[in-house]
Amino acid sequence: MEKIKTGKADSIKRMKLYRYPERVYNEISAAGYGKDALLKEKDIRLFDQYHYLGTDVVEDAINFLEAGLQSRLIEIGSGLGGPARYLAEKAGCRVTAVELQPDLNQIASSLTKRCGLSGLVEHFCGDILEFPEDGGNFDAAVSWLAILHIPDRQALLKKCFNILKPAGKVFFEDYCKLGEFSPEEEKILREDVQCPYLPTTEEYKRQLIENGFTDVKLEDKTACWSDFVRGRVEKFIENRLCYAKLHGNEVADGMEDFYKKISQLFHKGNLGGVRITAVKPDAYLKRRR
Ligand SMILES: C[S@@+](CC[C@H](N)C(=O)[O-])C[C@H]1O[C@@H](n2cnc3c(N)ncnc32)[C@H](O)[C@@H]1O
C-alpha cells in the first residue's frame, strides 16, 4: 500500500524498543525456524507483540468487538503486526495494520506473508493522522500502546470517528496520567518513551465524548500492568546472558534500560494503564431514541 513520508518516524527511533526491530528474526531462528521458513501465526506469538500481556488481551478485543469473518478492523500503530495477525487468524477478519516506522512495517509485512495471512492483513506504512478517509469503512479501530505516541488527540479521535462505520467500535489500551509527573518522569516519558502528552482517564473520556463517541468505558489496568513490567525486568535480568548472546550487548543494554525505566514509571504511581472502549453512534438508532 502507499507509503507516506513523515519526520515522526525518525524521532520515534530514539526509543530503545524500536532501535533494532530485526531482533525478532533472531528470536524466530532461535526457536528453530529457518530464515525464510513458512510460519504459523502461533509460532511467533511470543515475539511479535509489543504491548502487555500478549495475545490474551487481543482475544478480549475479539470478544468485545464480536469480530468475525465479515468484520473489517483497523489497527493504529501495528508494530511488528502481531496483534493484527492474531485478529486475522483467530477471528478470520480483515485487518488494515497502520504503522509509522518503515522498518517495523517491512518486518511486519514479511512475517504476515510467511504466516500466509497476507490475504487478510494489509500493512499500511504511514502516520494514522494521514490515513485516507474514504467514507467510514471500518467496523472497529483497535490499538495497543500506540496512542501514547500521538499527542494530537483531537485529530486522532476525529480520524477514528470518520473512518468507522455507524455503530463502529473502538478498543484501545494505552497509558494515562494518574498523578503529577516529576520533571525526571516527564523527561523519561518525553525522551525514552516518546510520549509527550498523557491525559487522565477523565480527560480521555471527555475527549472521546467531544468527538462524538458514546458508551465510553474505561477499565483501570494499572495494577496488572505494573506487575507485568516488574516481572519483565526480573525475567530480563535472569536471562540477560542468553539475550546478549543472541542479540549482542548493545541491544541488551538498550532493552534493559528501557524495561527498567518503564517499571520505575509505573512504580512511582503517576503512570497508569487503561482499556478504553467506545461506540460511534448509529445515526438511525440515534434518531429513533
Ligand atoms: C508499543 S508499539 C505497539 C505495537 C503493536 N500495537 C503491538 O502491540 O505489538 C506502538 C507502535 O505505534 C507506532 N506509531 C506511533 N505513532 C504512530 C502514528 N502516528 N501512526 C501510526 N503508527 C504509529 C509506533 O511506531 C510503534 O510501532
Side-chain angles (χ1 to χ4, degrees):
M1 227 177 163
E2 187 195 351
K3 186 168 146 182
I4 294 170
K5 287 201 178 72
T6 170
K8 284 183 197 168
D10 298 333
S11 63
I12 207 167
K13 269 284 170 251
R14 290 185 204 132
M15 185 162 151
K16 289 172 181 160
L17 177 69
Y18 305 138
R19 264 198 208 152
Y20 187 66
E22 297 81 4
R23 65 184 187 279
V24 70
Y25 291 134
N26 301 341
E27 276 150 8
I28 293 172
S29 304
Y33 302 99
K35 192 170 164 283
D36 298 312
L38 294 182
L39 299 164
K40 293 197 172 67
E41 177 278 328
K42 70 175 167 44
D43 298 334
I44 56 172
R45 263 179 218 166
L46 285 181
F47 321 122
D48 65 1
Q49 314 279 325
Y50 274 170
H51 60 271
Y52 305 152
L53 299 161
T55 51
D56 287 357
V57 298
V58 187
E59 190 68 36
D60 292 346
I62 293 176
N63 292 333
F64 169 75
L65 301 170
E66 298 176 271
L69 299 182
Q70 304 306 321
S71 316
R72 218 184 137 196
L73 273 52
I74 183 165
E75 188 190 356
I76 300 166
S78 44
L80 300 180
R85 280 188 294 276
Y86 185 87
L87 288 163
E89 176 69 32
K90 286 303 286 276
C93 56
R94 283 187 290 157
V95 186
T96 299
V98 183
E99 171 52 48
L100 180 67
Q101 301 179 65
D103 53 352
L104 271 79
N105 187 68
Q106 197 278 325
I107 295 169
S109 214
S110 79
L111 294 175
T112 296
K113 205 165 161 200
R114 285 173 67 184
C115 290
L117 286 168
S118 301
L120 288 176
V121 180
E122 182 177 30
H123 291 278
F124 180 95
C125 185
D127 186 341
I128 184 65
L129 299 183
E130 293 172 45
F131 189 83
E133 282 170 28
D134 30 22
N137 279 328
F138 293 100
D139 298 293
V142 294
S143 185
W144 286 272
L145 293 185
I147 292 173
L148 60 97
H149 293 308
I150 308 173
D152 190 348
R153 300 302 167 95
Q154 210 49 32
L156 176 70
L157 296 176
K158 189 162 174 266
K159 174 72 67 179
C160 288
F161 193 87
N162 290 342
I163 60 181
L164 285 174
K165 291 179 187 166
K169 295 176 179 170
V170 302
F171 182 104
F172 298 154
E173 290 199 339
D174 197 24
Y175 287 174
C176 62
K177 175 172 153 177
L178 298 180
E180 284 311 313
F181 296 115
S182 67
E184 193 205 350
E185 287 171 288
E186 264 178 6
K187 186 165 182 285
I188 295 175
L189 280 168
R190 209 175 41 246
E191 294 175 7
D192 298 278
V193 191
Q194 291 290 303
C195 171
Y197 161 76
L198 276 181
T200 62
T201 51
E202 277 315 301
E203 283 164 346
Y204 229 127
K205 188 170 182 176
R206 186 173 44 73
Q207 289 164 0
L208 279 152
I209 292 168
E210 276 171 10
N211 279 281
F213 288 95
T214 56
D215 297 325
V216 181
K217 295 196 176 72
L218 297 112
E219 192 183 328
D220 187 359
K221 292 281 163 192
T222 310
C224 58
W225 289 12
S226 298
D227 290 347
F228 174 87
V229 295
R230 182 195 290 131
R232 185 168 69 170
V233 173
E234 285 165 5
K235 211 150 94 202
F236 188 89
I237 291 169
E238 229 176 85
N239 296 320
R240 157 103 211 184
L241 271 179
C242 291
Y243 194 92
K245 204 166 157 201
L246 186 62
H247 303 293
N249 257 323
E250 196 185 323
V251 178
D253 286 346
M255 294 307 292
E256 185 173 342
D257 180 66
F258 177 71
Y259 288 161
K260 281 181 170 165
K261 281 183 173 141
I262 298 290
S263 185
Q264 270 167 28
L265 283 174
F266 270 102
H267 290 94
K268 289 223 155 94
N270 297 318
L271 178 65
V274 64
R275 175 179 291 178
I276 299 141
T277 56
V279 180
K280 171 173 172 169
D282 183 321
Y284 174 73
L285 287 179
K286 209 173 152 193
R287 271 201 310 274
R288 283 174 53 106
R289 267 179 198 155

